[in-house]
Amino acid sequence: GRALPAADQVEPTWNGTSVGRWEGNTFIVDSVGFDDRTWLDKFGYPHSENMRLQERYRRIDKDTLELTMTLTHSPVSQLRINSERLWQSLMTLAQIGATPKGGVARLALTDLDRQGRDLVVRWARELGMSVTVDQIGNIFMRRAGRNPDLPPVMTGSHIDTQPTGGKFDGNYGVLAGLEVVRTLNDHQVQTQAPIEVAVWTNEEGTRFTPSMEGSGVFAGQFTVEHARAQTDVNGVSMGDALDAIVGEIEMQVLGRE
């Protein structure tokens, strides 16, 4: 349905806007950011702001045009995260429990841990991720895929720290996962399988022993009852500490409003 400009036009226009160029007897139109979703879905192409549609109209004779259409996009392998954005998220989380020497003291199931968990869950919600929390407080933040029946591709780590811990141990694993989701959202890339970012409870084992209790429950190495029964040096059980710090957002997820 596109009218071919006259061959003597120096700069072909469409409603006063430049739309293409002549190369010999071929008129070429480039559409960057092509996102006709009906057309893309019909032929199984991904939705992406990097899509480029090129139409090449070659004049065969005065009554005949040959149209060739080429659709290209930047492959996922060429996508890159926003490193500055990832760094800023790490620095923002590190403010919760920050120590004078530049470290972080955010022990498991303390009020500082609650603040950190609420922040990470809020970020996930802002990215359109669904959030679930299991009985030991592990958090699972999921970005939907095309096929919800496929098992998710999972990443993650923990955000509880040692008493004199750093900004990156554990935290990087969680926030790098969220940055991947941000990048996929930026480029409108829809994955086949869901992507899930996990936050494990009491991974460091500083306040409650043994370590890796949240992931251990998930993997079937500990029962929920065993993990909840562990106590800290003040005699507070992990179960009571968890119930005391479950954040506002997690309460909504768990239906405890």
Side-chain angles (χ1 to χ4, degrees), residues 127-194:
L127 293 172
M129 303 175 79
S130 62
V131 180
T132 57
V133 183
D134 69 11
Q135 290 179 295
I136 203 61
N138 295 319
I139 303 171
F140 303 95
M141 304 169 286
R142 179 175 290 207
R143 182 182 192 263
R146 287 195 189 94
N147 187 347
D149 296 326
L150 289 176
V153 176
M154 182 178 282
T155 187
S157 192
H158 61 95
I159 63 169
D160 64 304
T161 75
Q162 296 284 338
T164 54
K167 299 180 175 73
F168 308 108
D169 179 15
N171 305 294
Y172 183 87
V174 173
L175 299 187
L178 290 185
E179 177 56 32
V180 168
V181 171
R182 288 190 181 99
T183 301
L184 293 174
N185 285 357
D186 288 345
H187 295 277
Q188 302 177 43
V189 175
Q190 186 177 19
T191 57
Q192 189 69 15

